[in-house]
Amino acid sequence: MRIDILTLFPEVFEAYFGASIIGRAVSSGLVRIFYTNFREFTDDKHRTVDDKPFSGGPGMVMKCKPVFDAVEHVCRDATVEVTRVLLTPQGERLNQRMVEELAGTEHLVLLCGHYEGFDERIRQGLGAREISIGDYVLSGGESAAMVVVDAIVRLLPGSLGDDESAANDSFSDGLLEHPQYTRPRAFRGMEVPEVLLSGNHAEIEAWRRSESRKRTMQRRPDLLDREGDAGASTDNQ
Ligand code: ADE
């Protein structure tokens, strides 16, 4: 899979994408991630990427030209379908079903906005899918892009090791994940549930399923209505 990240701050991705599961997926060639700075597509001496909104108002707006030129540049040699995604708090809210869809694409272009947002013609003209990672406003789309890439890459076949599995993740079946324990059996008076030490796989499976439902009922009852259509979101814990 190829992912292009279009941003004003390519340097912020380095540490996060160099470590752990994503770092491993990049080194092994499962995913190729390229960074492009919108500023490379300006032609004034100040490398201006934003401007004041017409008719006034606070903040600055990302200009059309550097954004269109950057997208056209990274798509110029594409031989597969390119999926364009604009990270914005006005987008469709990200969930695991969307992550699965995006993980099935071959070439993803993620556009990280800054300032007050993008000129509306960027939305109109690029035909990009608009995605929000939640109902709050970030100072830029970079952290949202990290979330999207992280969630996608762990689903790519071969990205998790043998003892890691996305199949048991919270949300993979529309429910939150069951509790997990590791050694020791007792810690500060708190015991590991007996059933997990029993070696009875059928009972362990039944316990996990029941804990999973109980936890979902207590914390996210909204997910139970959607169980089965995998309409939920995020990660393991
Ligand atoms: N940019 C600013 N806020 C955002 C959000 N919540 N999701 C995606 N991109 C954003």
Side-chain angles (χ1 to χ4, degrees):
M1 178 177 198
R2 168 174 173 164
I3 300 178
D4 281 283
I5 300 183
L6 276 46
T7 169
L8 291 169
F9 303 99
E11 67 280 4
V12 305
F13 293 91
E14 200 179 310
Y16 195 68
F17 287 172
S20 187
I21 291 168
I22 305 181
R24 210 165 60 197
V26 170
S27 319
S28 68
L30 265 184
V31 60
R32 292 178 301 145
I33 305 180
F34 299 97
Y35 306 95
T36 300
N37 194 326
F38 293 119
R39 284 197 202 283
E40 290 168 32
F41 300 90
T42 53
D43 30 41
D44 62 313
K45 88 168 182 255
H46 299 295
R47 309 180 82 197
T48 314
V49 290
D50 60 325
D51 206 343
K52 292 189 289 247
F54 274 119
S55 78
M60 301 290 272
V61 175
M62 296 271 291
K63 290 162 70 68
C64 288
K65 184 185 175 304
V67 175
F68 275 87
D69 285 357
V71 172
E72 280 156 16
H73 177 75
V74 299
C75 294
R76 70 195 183 285
D77 298 324
T79 52
V80 294
E81 194 185 338
V82 182
T83 305
R84 299 159 181 195
V85 170
L86 208 61
L87 279 324
T88 159
Q90 300 181 13
E92 214 185 331
R93 199 165 56 193
L94 185 70
N95 62 35
Q96 192 67 17
R97 181 185 43 72
M98 288 156 68
V99 171
E100 284 162 14
E101 252 175 62
L102 295 172
T105 63
E106 287 183 76
H107 186 178
L108 196 59
V109 175
L110 300 176
L111 291 96
C112 307
H114 255 268
Y115 315 114
E116 283 303 303
F118 295 97
D119 184 303
E120 189 61 21
R121 290 162 295 185
I122 295 171
R123 297 176 198 282
Q124 284 169 359
L126 280 187
R129 184 166 183 177
E130 298 186 32
I131 292 182
S132 160
I133 62 160
D135 294 340
Y136 39 79
V137 179
L138 303 163
S139 52
E142 284 73 17
S143 45
M146 285 187 210
V147 167
V148 171
V149 171
D150 186 325
I152 289 173
V153 168
R154 66 195 308 288
L155 292 185
L156 299 179
S159 139
L160 300 181
D162 287 344
D163 53 355
E164 304 159 313
S165 165
N168 294 328
D169 284 353
S170 288
F171 308 113
S172 57
D173 60 357
L175 296 175
L176 300 182
E177 202 195 17
H178 54 76
Q180 296 276 22
Y181 296 87
T182 186
R183 285 181 290 185
R185 286 169 65 154
F187 181 74
R188 298 190 179 177
M190 296 176 282
E191 305 271 347
V192 173
E194 214 38 60
V195 60
L196 298 182
L197 311 170
S198 68
N200 183 328
H201 295 296
E203 274 183 27
I204 292 172
E205 202 35 59
W207 178 86
R208 287 180 166 166
R209 188 81 200 155
S210 139
E211 289 297 313
S212 197
R213 289 192 70 83
K214 211 185 318 174
R215 180 161 281 197
T216 309
M217 192 105 72
Q218 282 162 353
R219 301 184 185 187
R220 293 290 307 276
D222 58 301
L223 296 179
L224 291 170
D225 305 334
R226 289 184 275 165
E227 193 184 357
D229 73 1
S233 48
T234 26
D235 199 1
N236 215 8
Q237 295 302 315

